Amino acid sequence: MTDFFAQAASLAGDLAATLHAPFPALVDLHGLSDMRDMRTLGAVSAAALAAGFTQGFAGFGSTVIALPLLVAVLGMRVAVPLGCLMALTINVALVGRLFGHMRRGPLTVLLLTSLPGMAVGGRLLSVAPEAWLEGLLGAMVLAFTVFAARTAPTGNDDGAAPPLHAAGTPLRHVVTVAVGLVSGALGAAVGINGPPVVAWAMRQGWGRHALKATLAGYFLLAGVGIVGAQGLHGELTGRVLLLFCAGLPALAAGLYGGHLCFGRLDEAAFRRVLLGLFAVSGAGLLWRAAGLG
């Protein structure tokens, strides 16, 4: 078995060396060494397992729980596109069940206004200092933690929240445009676009199914745009793709395990543990960004 893996690695190395000249961004020779590094593979698998389980069980937080671990091992410029690919895969698996409940009008406006933000965020990821990006990511993790803690489920059957503004008012449209721009930029730059979109959606007065379906549709389609923007700026390298493939089995196992455990475990207790992990992760990222870690 050891000989088989050695031969496979050798063949992959020869192929990568052949393709490296015409496709230097895609064929990242450093990615092949990652496939032999058990620490890297273990971190990617653990992050993928946690992301899948969290999303499958709680319905939110896959990138928030996965990115701090990935950043600690891989750095921002590998961790962010890798985390975005994982989130995109999860949303592909989830969105089919909720498609009929989507609010397509607001979803379309939000997606269209996100596109310029994605271009800005993709550029920011490629040029900004990693310490700045880590600090921004840590701030977004903490913001998401506070928001999730303040919007704990109340047991309301319809899940509807009171609308923030009357439908069709200019202020509502301005808010939607601003949310789209900010979310697109954050998603492409640091991999977390959820807080402003979730906060916006929670104030639309939609029922539970419409809320979940519209958010799932946005995160799926925005994920395609974010990954595309990262690819155009050279962040979607061969190393990222190899690590993503390595983490797929753990991602699928986590998502399946989360679905199995949903309704069987104490959701309130799990949510408290999850929020605690989010808070520690966000604080750790800010600590590292400040040069104290």
Side-chain angles (χ1 to χ4, degrees):
M1 184 63 70
T2 302
D3 292 339
F4 171 79
F5 283 118
Q7 291 175 5
S10 176
L11 289 173
D14 292 341
L15 178 61
T18 302
L19 295 176
H20 184 259
F23 303 107
L26 181 62
V27 183
D28 188 349
L29 296 177
H30 186 57
L32 293 174
S33 64
D34 287 330
M35 305 309 288
R36 305 186 188 99
D37 184 350
M38 296 308 297
R39 177 175 175 266
T40 300
L41 289 178
V44 169
S45 296
L49 186 68
F53 185 88
T54 299
Q55 194 81 15
F57 185 88
F60 68 94
S62 61
T63 52
V64 182
I65 199 69
L67 276 176
L69 176 58
L70 294 174
V71 168
V73 177
L74 301 170
M76 286 291 298
R77 288 188 170 84
V78 175
V80 170
L82 177 58
C84 289
L85 281 173
M86 289 181 180
L88 179 61
T89 303
I90 290 171
N91 285 315
V92 168
L94 294 178
V95 77
R97 298 183 293 113
L98 301 167
F99 183 79
H101 297 281
M102 286 183 189
R103 298 297 178 94
R104 292 175 179 81
L107 176 60
T108 301
V109 174
L110 198 64
L111 285 168
L112 289 176
T113 55
S114 294
L115 293 176
M118 291 174 192
V120 173
R123 179 61 177 167
L124 185 63
L125 176 62
S126 64
V127 301
E130 289 220 1
W132 293 9
L133 294 173
E134 282 193 20
L136 181 57
L137 176 58
M140 291 309 302
V141 171
L142 290 178
F144 187 90
T145 304
V146 172
F147 177 77
R150 290 170 59 90
T151 56
T154 60
N156 186 359
D157 289 338
D158 60 9
L164 181 61
H165 305 296
T169 61
L171 180 57
R172 184 170 187 171
H173 293 316
V174 170
V175 170
T176 303
V177 170
V179 167
L181 288 170
V182 172
S183 299
L186 288 173
V190 298
I192 296 178
N193 59 348
V197 175
V198 174
W200 168 85
M202 291 286 288
R203 304 300 296 171
Q204 301 304 305
W206 298 334
R208 178 180 304 164
H209 294 296
L211 178 66
K212 288 183 178 180
T214 305
L215 284 175
Y218 173 78
F219 290 132
L220 172 61
L221 296 174
V224 173
I226 287 169
V227 170
Q230 291 168 344
L232 287 175
H233 287 94
E235 301 297 332
L236 205 63
T237 62
R239 185 184 184 194
V240 171
L241 295 177
L242 281 172
L243 291 173
F244 169 68
C245 292
L248 272 178
L251 189 70
L255 190 59
Y256 181 69
H259 282 304
L260 287 181
C261 292
F262 181 73
R264 300 182 183 181
L265 300 179
D266 185 341
E267 186 172 357
F270 178 79
R271 187 184 182 93
R272 287 194 294 270
V273 171
L274 201 60
L275 292 178
L277 290 173
F278 290 170
V280 171
S281 299
L285 285 166
L286 286 176
W287 184 270
R288 281 165 50 93
L292 302 174

